[in-house]
Amino acid sequence: MMRQAGRFLPEYRALREKHDFLAVSRTPELTAEVTLQPVRKLGVDAAILFADIMTPVVGLGLPLEFAPGPVIETPVRTDADLDALTPFSAEESVPFVMEGIRLIRAELPESVPLIGFAGGPWTVAAYLTEGRSSPSFAQLRRMLYEAPATLTRLLDILTEMTCAYVEAQVDAGAQAVQLFESWAGLLDAPRYQAVALPGVRKILKHVRGLGVPAIFYVGGGSHLYEAIADCGADVVSVDWRTPIREARARLGSGFAMQGNLDPAVLLGDRETIAREAKRVLRDAGPEPGHVFNLGHGILPSTPWENAKFLVETVHELSERGA
Ligand code: CP3
């Protein structure tokens, strides 16, 4: 359960009253603490590093704030903006991420893997060009048509940054890497394939070369499954808009699937949660693997008891082979 994985927990809120988001993500002890909170409280099977897809961009020389989403004071839109970026070095720019990973690994039980992550270049570019969250990301989409060469240059820089960033995470102890393409759905299939996918393929190949599984999350991408069939991931993580069975059939063989419960189900009662969890498990079937997850980040208003109930229910149903 990603992104707001901690935010619905009372422990996380208490800690956030004392420290802002950036302080938590830049202080390895606090990073480790909030990464471990959902593992202890909910009994999930894996931990997800506490960081953000925008965390590494400070290494390009871009000041970053959260309010509560990412804010870049100096958006990147022109070739001159690209010329001004500084070369990225994970250990020099964001050493606290790797230090956090080392602390987490030291504290996590052997049986609980730690998932590192990064944003897809297209998704990170959406925030970098707009400067903040947006329903339309008009700046990025303007570049697509008005300044395609500049956009390609930006995506190449982000691809290179991300390869170095995920490599540093794996070297520090991350045991799988998830690439979040939350804004895949801004593009139609031919443009996704031509513009965004090359960088994704490079990063996922790099991750697999490091000897850990690569998970590719495609947000709003129900129209893209055929287009991403050669993405090179081990696992494709899908939102809740398409049944896993359909996503799997359209992707072709060779992928495990991750997902795809609608996060809003967790705002319902227990009967509903159990019914919907069962539906997802049945739909996913036994072959060739399924990592149960939400189709997107957990909603901050989710009662934590419901999240715990979901974890217990999925464990119970999986053990029974239901
Ligand atoms: O679940 C976790 O806690 C793991 C860490 C994590 C965060 N961000 C911490 C965070 C992960 C995996 C992310 C990924 C992320 N960040 C994505 C990709 C996944 C997705 O959800 O699509 C994206 C698009 C972002 C960008 C981002 N960061 C936004 C839009 C926001 C605003 C959040 C909101 O919904 O209001 C953030 C802030 C953020 N990142 C929070 C957390 C825990 C909330 C900050 C807070 O504590 O106030």
Side-chain angles (χ1 to χ4, degrees):
M1 290 181 251
M2 319 248 175
R3 166 105 82 93
Q4 293 93 344
R7 196 149 56 131
F8 67 108
L9 292 179
E11 303 77 330
Y12 176 75
R13 293 208 178 126
L15 198 132
R16 278 280 280 102
E17 270 172 32
K18 285 184 262 163
H19 310 277
D20 66 20
F21 180 82
L22 281 175
V24 179
S25 60
R26 285 175 187 171
T27 312
E29 292 74 16
L30 297 179
T31 299
E33 172 57 24
V34 296
T35 299
L36 293 164
Q37 279 172 350
V39 178
R40 291 193 200 112
K41 188 136 181 158
L42 308 177
V44 285
D45 298 301
I48 176 97
L49 171 70
F50 187 86
D52 194 82
I53 57 163
M54 300 307 287
T55 300
V57 306
V58 294
L60 299 175
L62 297 166
L64 171 71
E65 283 176 46
F66 283 85
V71 178
I72 305 285
E73 270 168 52
T74 47
V76 178
R77 294 174 185 165
T78 63
D79 277 304
D81 295 338
L82 292 179
D83 293 339
L85 298 179
T86 56
F88 177 83
S89 148
E91 285 293 350
E92 275 170 40
S93 322
V94 287
F96 45 85
V97 173
M98 275 56 75
E99 192 48 39
I101 290 174
R102 288 187 273 267
L103 287 183
I104 296 162
R105 276 270 30 111
E107 286 188 46
L108 265 183
E110 278 288 305
S111 58
V112 181
L114 174 64
I115 305 172
F117 71 92
W122 168 256
T123 295
V124 173
Y127 291 99
L128 281 188
T129 52
E130 197 67 36
R132 54 182 61 245
S133 288
S134 152
S136 57
F137 289 105
Q139 288 292 343
L140 180 70
R141 290 156 73 202
R142 173 191 60 75
M143 283 174 81
L144 182 65
Y145 295 102
E146 201 218 21
T150 311
L151 176 59
T152 302
R153 221 183 125 203
L154 172 58
L155 295 175
D156 287 348
I157 291 169
L158 294 175
T159 300
E160 204 182 310
M161 172 191 86
T162 307
C163 285
Y165 182 52
V166 295
E167 181 166 342
Q169 291 185 33
V170 171
D171 284 349
Q175 292 145 301
V177 171
Q178 176 150 350
L179 193 68
F180 283 102
E181 193 75 289
S182 306
W183 294 107
L186 291 174
L187 290 169
D188 61 28
R191 280 186 191 85
Y192 190 84
Q193 220 164 10
V195 177
L197 194 60
V200 166
R201 282 170 52 89
K202 225 177 201 174
I203 297 161
L204 295 174
K205 190 171 174 205
H206 194 71
V207 170
R208 292 186 67 171
L210 299 168
V212 300
I215 310 167
F216 181 37
Y217 173 74
V218 201
S222 302
H223 57 300
L224 296 176
Y225 298 135
E226 290 81 3
I228 61 163
D230 65 346
C231 64
D234 297 286
V235 184
V236 174
S237 184
V238 292
D239 66 28
W240 66 94
R241 293 172 180 91
T242 322
I244 286 198
R245 188 198 309 263
E246 184 191 325
R248 206 202 276 286
R250 288 174 44 205
L251 276 160
S253 58
F255 296 105
M257 301 299 300
Q258 180 171 300
N260 74 341
L261 189 76
D262 180 350
V265 166
L266 290 179
L267 305 177
D269 59 21
R270 292 190 166 203
E271 204 186 319
T272 309
I273 295 169
R275 187 189 67 228
E276 292 297 313
K278 201 170 198 167
R279 194 182 53 73
V280 170
L281 285 170
R282 283 239 174 94
D283 185 55
E287 298 282 338
H290 175 216
V291 181
F292 191 95
N293 206 322
L294 302 181
H296 202 184
I298 192 164
L299 296 164
S301 55
T302 304
W304 70 267
E305 295 87 345
N306 287 5
K308 189 170 168 69
F309 175 74
L310 174 68
V311 173
E312 288 165 357
T313 303
V314 170
H315 281 158
E316 206 186 291
L317 290 170
S318 310
E319 275 156 24
R320 279 202 271 128

